[in-house]
Amino acid sequence: MLAVGVAVAGVRALRKSAWLSGIGPQAFVALGGVAVSVYGLWGFATQTVHLPAPLAVAFICVFDAAEMTLLVMLYRAADPDLGWTRQLRLIHRTAWMLVAFSAGMNAAHAPNWLSRPVLAAVPALAAWLIELQLRQKLGAATPDDDPVSRPGPGRLVTLVWQHGWSWLFAVLGLDARHSGDSIARAALAQRAARRVYRLRLALAAQDETGGSWRKRRALGRASRRRGQAQRMLSRAEVATDRDQALAMSRHLASLTGVDGVARLDYSDPTAVVTMVEQLAITPAVEHLEAGGRAAEAESARQRAEDARQEADAARQRAETALEEARQALADAREEADRVRADRDAALATRQEADSAVVDARERAEDARREADTARQRAEDAQKVAEDARQRAERELDRAKDAVADQRRLLDSLQTQENARRSALEQLTGQIGEAETIRDRLHGDLATLSPDADGTDPVWRSEAKQQGWQLYLTTLADPEQRTEPTAADLANECGIHVGNARNWLKEFRAARAAQLAAREPRATAHPPRATNLQGASA
């Protein structure tokens, strides 16, 4: 538990420090593996070697702490421009040697055989995580690329491992440089060649076999192998893929020519070269490739001819475009000359316009001064109009007061005589109409005398003056005290009923103005609320 606590504390301290900065997140994952390895080394040091606790801590520092220090130093000292130097290779080998010792001690401390390989792989896995980041930093070069690598146990193990796998690939007939698809296609071509070779042997045996029973047996064998060969040729795509057909042909050449290879006189170099060419089907392939190259050359020549024709057409188009451009340039020059002439005329026009602008400015200044004078006169007239409006408002207020007195008078008359209520209500309406047209009657008030009895002409039209006399006479009659109707007025004056209605409105307004201009006779009576005010409201 002490070792685990020390490891956890170390991990926390390292995460906060700049020692592991730049290595990447896999460095912190590697620290977890180091913590597990520390636990294994602690058990090995205390239980297997029986070291005391202080020496056990020193023992762990010699291996796990040293290997992590070396790996981090290796990463920080790595330079992509220099690659793997001799010092880096030495540090790399020392670190992995410590990793190997740590893996062995973890395996020895494991409680059972199932956990031994797991615990042994933990230190190697932690170191490999940092190794990956180191190789990414240094590029594609690896420590094994050193041309002056010295023999040693590590080198021996590496070579034995590589030769063992090479032997296994050779036994299985595999090529490590090929991908999965290329291996499958090569295997299909090889199996197709074998099936065809077996069919070849079966056909040869069929021709050499005598007897009916053996003949039938040979025919059945040849028929079965013919079907197998056909299926394999179809699967290998020999008829559609030239490379597959060539690969099958090479395999058949090697199968059928093995006797010639065994009996060949290798002291004759010419015969050896001929045999090699026959096995590889080199002349046929070269002939096919030469035919393909010739076809490609013919196609390239045709394309070149087409390109030349296109270039000639393009040159012709360019010459035409050049001639058009020259003509356009000449037209542009003529247009430029015209533009210059227009510019000169425009400059002369501009000078005239400038002088006209100066004159216009002077006239505008004079007009502005006149406008200021007119504005001043308008302001004076506005002041006069404002004074007139205020006087008119005062006159209107006095008229309103007179109307209010008249309303109180009418209210008192209504309380005294209920029979004349309709007349008073009609008078109230006349007063309201008088208020709406008071602005129009301001000029008429000057021509209307407060004591006029209707004998003096008020209206210019004789018919209208006659209607006015009838209106006043009807209102002055003590028995009626009501205004005439529009029909009576139309019959008396010989006008249309609609005009009579309009006259009645004007007569009411004129009568109301006369009454408003008189001195109120009921000023001595106190004002009181009447139904007339409520009706007018």
Side-chain angles (χ1 to χ4, degrees):
M1 295 302 293
L2 178 61
V4 174
V6 171
V8 171
V11 168
R12 291 181 178 178
L14 289 174
R15 289 191 65 180
K16 296 180 180 179
S17 65
W19 190 55
L20 294 179
S21 62
I23 299 180
Q26 60 269 31
F28 302 106
V29 180
L31 290 177
V34 172
V36 177
S37 178
V38 167
Y39 176 77
L41 290 183
W42 177 266
F44 182 84
T46 56
Q47 299 175 10
T48 304
V49 187
H50 302 290
L51 292 176
L55 294 181
V57 172
F59 180 79
I60 293 172
C61 292
V62 169
F63 290 97
D64 281 355
E67 73 185 38
M68 285 301 297
T69 303
L70 290 176
L71 289 173
V72 174
M73 287 174 56
L74 188 65
Y75 178 82
R76 292 191 170 278
D79 189 355
D81 298 333
L82 299 178
W84 286 90
T85 61
R86 296 180 63 86
Q87 290 78 10
L88 291 181
R89 296 180 192 278
L90 178 61
I91 296 174
H92 184 264
R93 287 193 292 267
T94 305
W96 277 101
M97 182 184 65
L98 294 176
V99 169
F101 277 107
S102 178
M105 288 182 284
N106 274 275
H109 176 65
N112 51 53
W113 284 99
L114 293 178
S115 59
R116 288 179 189 276
V118 177
L119 291 179
V122 169
L125 180 60
W128 181 248
L129 292 176
I130 301 179
E131 175 82 9
L132 291 176
Q133 192 70 13
L134 175 64
R135 293 194 178 191
Q136 181 181 1
K137 183 177 180 181
L138 289 176
T142 60
D144 299 333
D145 296 336
D146 187 7
V148 294
S149 297
R150 297 180 180 179
R155 187 67 176 170
L156 177 62
V157 172
T158 301
L159 293 176
V160 171
W161 175 268
Q162 293 177 352
H163 282 281
W165 281 106
S166 301
W167 174 81
L168 181 59
F169 272 70
V171 170
L172 297 177
L174 303 178
D175 190 353
R177 296 172 297 177
H178 292 173
S179 61
D181 182 67
S182 61
I183 292 174
R185 293 176 64 83
L188 288 175
Q190 186 176 5
R191 291 183 63 185
R194 290 179 181 177
R195 294 294 172 87
V196 173
Y197 182 69
R198 289 178 183 178
L199 176 61
R200 178 190 179 97
L201 295 179
L203 293 175
Q206 175 184 347
D207 296 336
E208 297 175 358
T209 302
S212 60
W213 180 78
R214 292 182 179 179
K215 190 72 173 178
R216 288 193 301 272
R217 184 177 179 182
L219 288 174
R221 184 185 300 110
S223 178
R224 290 193 302 272
R225 292 185 177 179
R226 183 181 295 108
Q228 294 175 356
Q230 290 174 351
R231 288 192 296 271
M232 284 307 303
L233 287 175
S234 177
R235 290 179 57 187
E237 299 179 355
V238 174
T240 58
D241 193 341
R242 188 167 68 92
D243 294 336
Q244 288 289 94
L246 290 175
M248 188 198 70
S249 301
R250 291 190 181 98
H251 286 298
L252 279 175
S254 62
L255 290 175
T256 57
V258 63
D259 295 340
V261 173
R263 296 174 182 176
L264 181 66
D265 184 9
Y266 287 92
S267 61
D268 186 3
T270 304
V272 173
V273 172
T274 304
M275 182 269 299
V276 171
E277 290 181 351
Q278 290 176 354
L279 289 179
I281 319 178
T282 304
V285 173
E286 290 179 351
H287 177 71
L288 292 175
E289 292 179 351
R293 287 194 296 269
E296 291 178 358
E298 181 63 21
S299 177
R301 187 190 65 77
Q302 187 64 33
R303 289 195 300 271
E305 182 66 21
D306 296 339
R308 186 186 63 77
Q309 294 177 359
E310 292 180 359
D312 292 339
R315 181 180 57 78
Q316 186 66 28
R317 290 194 299 269
E319 291 177 356
T320 304
L322 179 60
E323 186 64 26
E324 293 177 355
R326 288 174 179 173
Q327 184 63 32
L329 179 59
D331 296 340
R333 288 175 178 174
E334 294 178 357
E335 184 65 23
D337 294 336
R338 288 195 297 269
V339 169
R340 291 192 189 96
D342 294 341
R343 185 192 60 184
D344 296 337
L347 290 175
T349 306
R350 181 180 178 182
Q351 293 176 357
E352 296 176 358
D354 291 340
S355 60
V357 166
V358 173
D359 296 338
R361 286 178 179 174
E362 293 177 356
R363 290 194 298 271
E365 185 66 23
D366 297 336
R368 186 182 62 79
R369 287 193 293 269
E370 293 177 358
D372 292 339
T373 305
R375 185 175 65 253
Q376 185 65 31
R377 289 197 299 269
E379 290 177 355
D380 297 339
Q382 185 177 4
K383 291 179 181 179
V384 173
E386 183 68 23
D387 296 337
R389 187 184 63 79
Q390 293 177 359
R391 288 195 300 271
E393 287 180 354
R394 287 193 294 270
E395 292 294 335
L396 180 59
D397 292 338
R398 287 195 295 270
K400 286 183 178 180
D401 295 339
V403 170
D405 294 339
Q406 189 65 28
R407 285 181 179 177
R408 286 192 293 270
L409 178 59
L410 292 175
D411 186 48
S412 64
L413 293 176
Q414 185 181 11
T415 55
Q416 296 174 4
E417 189 176 357
N418 294 329
R420 299 180 181 179
R421 182 181 300 276
S422 59
L424 293 176
E425 291 177 352
Q426 187 176 4
L427 184 57
T428 303
Q430 296 170 1
I431 294 172
E433 293 176 359
E435 289 181 355
T436 58
I437 61 174
R438 60 182 174 269
D439 294 334
R440 186 165 58 89
L441 294 178
H442 283 165
D444 296 338
L445 290 175
T447 62
L448 296 175
S449 174
D451 298 330
D453 54 356
T455 58
D456 296 332
V458 178
W459 312 98
R460 296 179 180 178
S461 176
E462 295 180 359
K464 197 170 185 179
Q465 182 66 27
Q466 181 182 355
W468 172 250
Q469 293 293 337
L470 177 61
Y471 183 80
L472 294 179
T473 303
T474 305
L475 290 180
D477 190 359
E479 295 181 359
Q480 295 183 2
R481 300 292 292 179
T482 57
E483 63 182 14
T485 62
D488 296 338
L489 189 59
N491 293 332
E492 183 69 25
C493 298
I495 60 174
H496 193 269
V497 178
N499 293 336
R501 292 193 188 96
N502 295 331
W503 284 9
L504 284 176
K505 293 179 181 180
E506 295 178 0
F507 293 164
R508 293 187 195 114
R511 183 59 180 169
Q514 286 182 353
L515 295 176
R518 291 178 181 177
E519 184 68 25
R521 294 176 295 177
T523 54
H525 299 282
R528 52 185 176 179
T530 62
N531 294 329
L532 180 59
Q533 294 177 355
S536 63

